[in-house]
Amino acid sequence: MKKSEKEKERIENLLSLIPGKAPSVLDIGAREGYISTRLADFFDSVTALDLEKPDIAHDHVTCVRGDATSLDFPDGSFHTVFCSEVLEHIPPDLLRKACDEIRRVAREYIIIGVPYKQDLRVGRTTCYTCGKKNPPWGHVNVFDKPRILSLFPGIFCETIRFHGENTEYTNFLSALLMDLAGNPYGDYSQLEPCIHCGNRLKPPPERNLPQKVCTRLAVSITRMQSGFIRRHPIWMNILFRKGA
């Protein structure tokens, strides 16, 4: 999958947290392998893990199938564990278990990348199979500094870096009106399925007149509040160190 320039910049921000050359790293949520192959520049061996076994052709990358909430590796198996764009997708009741597993298999360092204070009402979708509302891109967890630190107790937070900038916040009324309008502005081409029924999202049907009115009102109200919203980072990237 081709990365946009903004996405490449975000990944470079994450990679800059790597302390130096090291023997091994576990890349959780490897997907198509862009980050895994970049990690091979810093680590002698890279284990690329995803729910479906990745297909990455690289001499220093080993692909495995696995689940972040139950990692099939002994304690301290990897010098570093790298986990970006994953924790926001973990079901809330399993989030702490996933973080405990990451901490367990890491020997020295953990690098985490998550959205920062994301408003999950912005860009949400309606599943036209089951009729339920979905957060954007299947994100079900929201993170700020206190929350991410609480998920990794007992280890030292060495660095936190923020990346990107936006003012994407909505409000209760605008979000309600968008729901009534069928959430026409969500990204229905996203790869993530409905978090409720598991089906791929279908493009919304043509809006009727009341839905168009709701959309216009929602956009107008959001614009009125935009002048009072402070810009905030989009991403939060963290380096944890397990050693003393």
Side-chain angles (χ1 to χ4, degrees), residues 61-74:
V61 177
T62 300
C63 298
V64 298
R65 179 179 178 178
D67 186 337
T69 64
S70 182
L71 295 171
D72 191 19
F73 304 106

Side-chain angles (χ1 to χ4, degrees), residues 179-217:
D179 284 344
L180 293 173
N183 291 306
Y185 296 146
D187 185 358
Y188 287 86
S189 64
Q190 67 181 44
L191 297 177
E192 295 81 7
C194 173
I195 64 171
H196 304 287
C197 70
N199 286 294
R200 287 293 301 271
L201 297 178
K202 302 175 183 179
E206 183 69 24
R207 287 170 292 161
N208 56 36
L209 181 59
Q211 288 177 318
K212 289 180 179 179
V213 171
C214 287
T215 302
R216 184 178 292 273
L217 285 172

Side-chain angles (χ1 to χ4, degrees), residues 97-242:
K97 184 177 181 183
C99 293
D100 288 345
E101 282 290 274
I102 290 170
R103 184 174 56 175
R104 180 183 65 80
V105 302
R107 187 166 64 252
E108 297 289 341
Y109 291 99
I110 297 168
I111 296 174
I112 300 292
V114 291
Y116 179 69
K117 292 186 177 181
Q118 182 183 13
D119 187 341
L120 297 181
R121 301 169 299 180
V122 176
R124 68 182 171 193
T125 56
T126 297
C127 175
Y128 286 93
T129 299
C130 71
K132 294 182 178 180
K133 309 299 182 293
N134 276 265
W137 307 293
H139 294 183
V140 293
N141 298 303
V142 177
F143 299 97
D144 57 12
K145 182 178 176 180
R147 188 174 193 207
I148 201 71
L149 294 181
S150 73
L151 290 167
F152 292 92
I155 57 176
F156 180 66
C157 177
E158 191 159 287
T159 307
I160 294 182
R161 291 181 184 166
F162 297 96
H163 183 75
E165 189 176 66
N166 69 24
T167 56
E168 290 191 345
Y169 280 114
T170 186
N171 54 79
F172 173 80
L173 181 56
S174 292
L176 176 61
L177 288 167
M178 278 297 186
D179 284 344
L180 293 173
N183 291 306
Y185 296 146
D187 185 358
Y188 287 86
S189 64
Q190 67 181 44
L191 297 177
E192 295 81 7
C194 173
I195 64 171
H196 304 287
C197 70
N199 286 294
R200 287 293 301 271
L201 297 178
K202 302 175 183 179
E206 183 69 24
R207 287 170 292 161
N208 56 36
L209 181 59
Q211 288 177 318
K212 289 180 179 179
V213 171
C214 287
T215 302
R216 184 178 292 273
L217 285 172
V219 171
S220 298
I221 295 168
T222 301
R223 284 177 178 169
M224 283 191 291
Q225 78 166 15
S226 62
F228 302 95
I229 301 298
R230 291 184 179 181
R231 291 189 173 273
H232 62 91
I234 302 173
W235 295 95
M236 179 171 58
N237 302 325
I238 310 101
L239 172 66
F240 289 104
R241 175 165 52 85
K242 287 190 73 177

Side-chain angles (χ1 to χ4, degrees), residues 21-27 39 42-47 76-82 105 107 109:
K21 190 73 175 178
S24 62
V25 62
L26 173 64
D27 180 18
L39 289 172
F42 301 89
F43 297 89
D44 296 332
S45 68
V46 179
T47 299
S77 292
F78 302 94
H79 177 275
T80 300
V81 174
F82 191 99
V105 302
R107 187 166 64 252
Y109 291 99

